[in-house]
Amino acid sequence: MSTTHGIRTVGVCGAGTMGAGIAQACAAAGFSVVLYDAFPEVLPKAMARIEQDTERQVRRGRLREEQRAEALKRLQTTSELTSLARCDLVVEAAPEDLALKKDLFGKLSAAAPSAILATNTSSLSVAEIASATPKPALVAGLHFFNPAPVMPLVEVVQAPQTEPEVIGRLVEFTRDLGKTPIVVRDSPGFVVNRVNRPFYSEALRLVGEGQVDYQTVDRAAREAGGFPMGPFQLMDLVGIDVSYAVSLSLYQAFFGEARFRPHPLQRQMVLQGRLGRKTGRGFYDYQQPPPEPEPLPLPRPHPGPYAVAGDTQLARDIFERLWQRGFEVTQLTSPPEGPLPVAAIFEAEAEDRTRKRSFLTALDRWTGEDAVLLAACTNASSAECASWVRRPGRLAGYATLPPLQDRKLLEWTSHELARADPTPYLAALGLPLLRVGDAPGGVFPRLLAAVVNEAALAVDERIASPTDVDLAMRLGVNHPFGPFQWAERVGVQALAGVLDGLRDYYGEERYRAAPGLRRACWLGRWPQR
Ligand SMILES: NC(=O)c1ccc[n+]([C@@H]2O[C@H](COP(=O)([O-])OP(=O)(O)OC[C@H]3O[C@@H](n4cnc5c(N)ncnc54)[C@H](O)[C@@H]3O)[C@@H](O)[C@H]2O)c1
């Protein structure tokens, strides 16, 4: 195989889940592969897995039989480190243990002194691993995703001491594997594991606080957000122990930064041995067929008339939708100054909390006793909104983000003083209703705002470019949009609104908006790196 990167023979060190997958991907792409494991008994099992997996690919028409036979011929296994001497690149996929990896890298650099050494670590410092070798300039990270033969993304990790030429060669090599490389700086969790952390941690918090159950979180993530899987389904798939270990490692690596604090629920699940699909039980029980999710209620809508209050994209979307659905509806882009004869009002100042408050107080003043106030609870809880009006009993909340056409359900919420049933009014939007807890941002807006904020922080810290972060999140965890694309779609101000609401509600720094996100709110564009 002729290459510009000069890599022909690849050593893979560690023949477990990732090592076997990486070896298979390299062999299938035409590289000679030496698969090494310190425990010889592991090797036949790894080969059997590769044989079965490639056989399945042939059955599914993704690989021809001759290609499979050729690929298997290119694969050799060994339990002798010296067999790696002829490799141009060694990818290490041994257990996630710093001392073990450092020891191994010392030995690898002696066994293959001129080879590029790449670690597949998910969360350890590449620079620290490299420090165990005499030539740290030749050490980088190559972070594959599971299952390695299938997942298209590879994070190519540049540590401070890595020679830029090494990164260039690894990028080319990754492309030759048929994968998409993104170059990331050596920083805890790189891009995907870091930026996706809040997807889990906010979900765990919502459940831990008793606001909602995990099925509700998953449903909101899927049907309101369009994520292919909810956070609890994803934790079950990845393994709750694996996800917990990554949380712990990031938390330690960021010196106890609150955003990365693991949740006691994760530990509890691990202690019970409920690790997810691999043990038959995690948050869900896989020994039994999953019950069909109950259909969500969509009550008969109240005939109106309605008003929509606010000068935001959300307000414009709600107005449009009510109007298209044939309801009489008035649009208010500033607080009313005279009587408003309506049955219900959607307050949609989902961005600025000061404007929200002046809207709600004016609406409370100028509407009849029976008019129902539906507050956008993206940037405030319904309890806080209720505290701003004289008749809190008629106020309830809903939490969503524009564009409304992307949503397949509407999250709604209420508080201790509520008397009116808001559901016939909310039903005017024609979306099935899902009740969630009463903290700002409900479920989907909160998950998304936290993910986008983490992406913005990573870009602020120059871990990767916004374009690469978008690519990484789409290819690495199948998000329907990258965080920056998503921010563009829903409006960065709406996301800042969620974060500001959460920060006020909890009084916690973890919801502080990233400087880059704040600047994007003011200037309409993300800082360019
Ligand atoms: N599993 C994932 O989803 C995933 C995804 C991305 C990255 N990673 C990273 O990949 C690495 C491997 O993870 P895994 O899930 O494949 O682990 P694993 O436990 O399935 O495999 C590890 C393999 O390393 C072997 N090993 C142990 N000590 C060794 C040594 N001193 N020298 C050589 N081999 C040794 C073991 O026998 C085993 O076969 C870890 O750093 C992990 O963080 C894992």
Side-chain angles (χ1 to χ4, degrees):
M1 157 180 232
S2 102
T3 62
T4 49
H5 45 68
I7 298 168
R8 289 160 193 276
T9 306
V10 181
V12 179
C13 174
T17 311
M18 292 308 290
I22 295 166
Q24 181 183 328
C26 294
F31 294 94
S32 296
V33 179
V34 184
L35 177 58
Y36 161 82
D37 201 286
F39 300 91
E41 66 277 14
V42 170
L43 294 166
K45 289 185 208 146
M47 278 310 289
R49 271 212 316 281
I50 295 173
E51 281 167 16
Q52 280 160 13
D53 197 62
T54 46
E55 201 179 282
R56 200 164 43 236
Q57 286 185 4
V58 170
R59 274 205 308 276
R60 291 182 183 168
R62 297 201 187 122
L63 198 69
R64 290 200 311 275
E65 185 51 52
E66 321 77 88
Q67 289 174 312
R68 172 177 183 256
E70 289 294 316
L72 292 176
K73 257 196 265 166
R74 283 190 286 268
L75 243 167
Q76 171 203 329
T77 58
T78 180
S79 57
E80 298 293 331
L81 258 182
T82 46
S83 309
L84 297 174
R86 60 192 178 86
C87 296
D88 308 300
L89 161 70
V90 179
V91 183
E92 168 275 320
E96 189 77 341
D97 174 325
L98 182 63
L100 183 148
K101 287 201 199 270
K102 281 176 82 167
D103 177 57
L104 196 50
F105 268 67
K107 291 178 180 153
L108 286 174
S109 53
S114 53
I116 297 179
L117 302 182
T119 172
N120 186 47
T121 181
S122 307
S123 55
L124 302 171
S125 156
V126 175
E128 201 162 349
I129 295 170
S131 70
T133 73
K135 289 189 201 154
L138 288 182
V139 179
L142 264 189
H143 186 223
F144 289 81
F145 291 77
N146 190 16
V150 178
M151 292 297 280
L153 181 74
V154 178
E155 292 178 314
V156 180
V157 186
Q158 178 158 31
Q161 86 300 322
T162 314
E163 187 72 51
E165 190 225 330
V166 166
I167 295 299
R169 290 174 67 195
L170 288 176
V171 164
E172 289 306 315
F173 164 74
T174 312
R175 290 210 178 103
D176 276 355
L177 290 183
K179 305 213 177 275
T180 306
I182 63 156
V183 177
V184 303
R185 278 203 326 148
D186 184 18
S187 164
F190 314 125
V191 169
V192 174
N193 276 335
R194 172 179 174 172
V195 173
N196 210 35
R197 226 29 30 210
F199 189 60
Y200 306 119
S201 60
E202 290 306 318
L204 286 158
R205 279 199 123 199
L206 281 165
V207 171
E209 285 170 7
Q211 292 201 38
V212 279
D213 54 26
Y214 53 85
Q215 295 94 332
T216 300
V217 173
D218 280 352
R219 189 154 196 179
R222 286 193 314 266
E223 294 175 35
F227 289 98
M229 272 191 203
F232 293 97
Q233 289 176 293
L234 202 55
M235 277 186 270
D236 273 0
L237 181 70
V238 170
I240 299 172
D241 53 336
V242 173
S243 175
Y244 177 49
V246 176
S247 304
L248 260 180
S249 162
L250 255 74
Y251 183 59
Q252 283 156 1
F254 280 107
F255 299 108
E257 164 63 53
R259 298 200 310 281
F260 298 108
R261 186 181 300 137
H263 196 280
L265 244 176
Q266 289 171 289
R267 185 160 177 269
Q268 212 177 71
M269 297 293 286
V270 172
L271 290 177
Q272 290 177 68
R274 285 171 58 175
L275 305 183
R277 289 195 192 198
K278 62 185 171 189
T279 54
R281 208 166 162 214
F283 292 103
Y284 295 91
D285 187 349
Y286 297 92
Q287 277 134 5
Q288 289 165 22
E292 280 293 308
E294 300 258 317
L296 292 173
L298 179 53
R300 181 191 292 273
H302 189 282
Y306 291 90
V308 182
D311 192 9
T312 58
Q313 191 55 49
L314 182 61
R316 287 184 281 281
D317 276 17
I318 293 177
F319 173 80
E320 186 82 11
R321 193 160 182 123
L322 291 173
W323 183 75
Q324 275 175 355
R325 288 175 52 79
F327 292 100
E328 187 186 331
V329 51
T330 314
Q331 191 169 20
L332 302 167
T333 50
S334 54
E337 293 172 354
L340 202 58
V342 290
I345 296 166
F346 284 88
E347 175 275 323
E349 268 300 324
E351 299 167 10
D352 182 324
R353 286 166 48 79
T354 315
R355 275 176 63 78
K356 177 182 208 72
R357 187 172 181 160
S358 49
F359 261 103
L360 279 170
T361 26
L363 293 172
D364 184 42
R365 175 165 178 209
W366 292 112
T367 50
E369 296 250 333
D370 297 335
V372 173
L373 296 182
L374 303 164
C377 285
T378 34
N379 56 347
S381 63
S382 77
E384 186 178 14
C385 295
S387 76
W388 294 334
V389 300
R390 286 169 306 163
R391 281 161 290 173
R394 64 189 177 124
L395 185 142
Y398 66 98
T400 189
L401 289 169
L404 224 44
Q405 87 238 16
D406 285 2
R407 313 286 156 249
K408 294 203 175 61
L409 62 78
L410 184 68
E411 296 176 35
W412 71 278
T413 185
S414 193
H415 54 90
E416 292 80 345
L417 303 182
R419 275 184 279 108
D421 172 14
T423 58
Y425 305 95
L426 292 163
L429 290 177
L431 288 169
L433 300 174
L434 181 69
R435 181 153 187 181
V436 299
D438 188 33
V443 176
F444 161 62
R446 174 165 169 171
L447 297 184
L448 183 64
V451 166
V452 172
N453 201 38
E454 199 54 54
L457 286 162
V459 168
D460 281 348
E461 292 164 23
R462 295 174 163 75
I463 307 302
S465 70
T467 317
D468 280 353
V469 172
D470 278 345
L471 197 59
M473 298 309 284
R474 287 197 290 109
L475 299 183
V477 269
N478 292 323
H479 285 195
F481 305 102
F484 296 95
Q485 297 169 319
W486 220 326
E488 179 120 328
R489 212 172 160 79
V490 305
V492 69
Q493 281 88 353
L495 296 171
V498 177
L499 295 165
D500 291 344
L502 287 167
R503 193 179 169 192
D504 259 39
Y505 185 77
Y506 290 106
E508 285 186 44
E509 280 301 294
R510 63 189 276 151
Y511 299 111
R512 179 176 59 85
L517 189 135
R518 203 58 90 189
R519 295 179 70 83
C521 288
W522 293 329
L523 305 177
R525 64 180 59 179
W526 294 95
Q528 287 304 308
R529 302 294 181 203

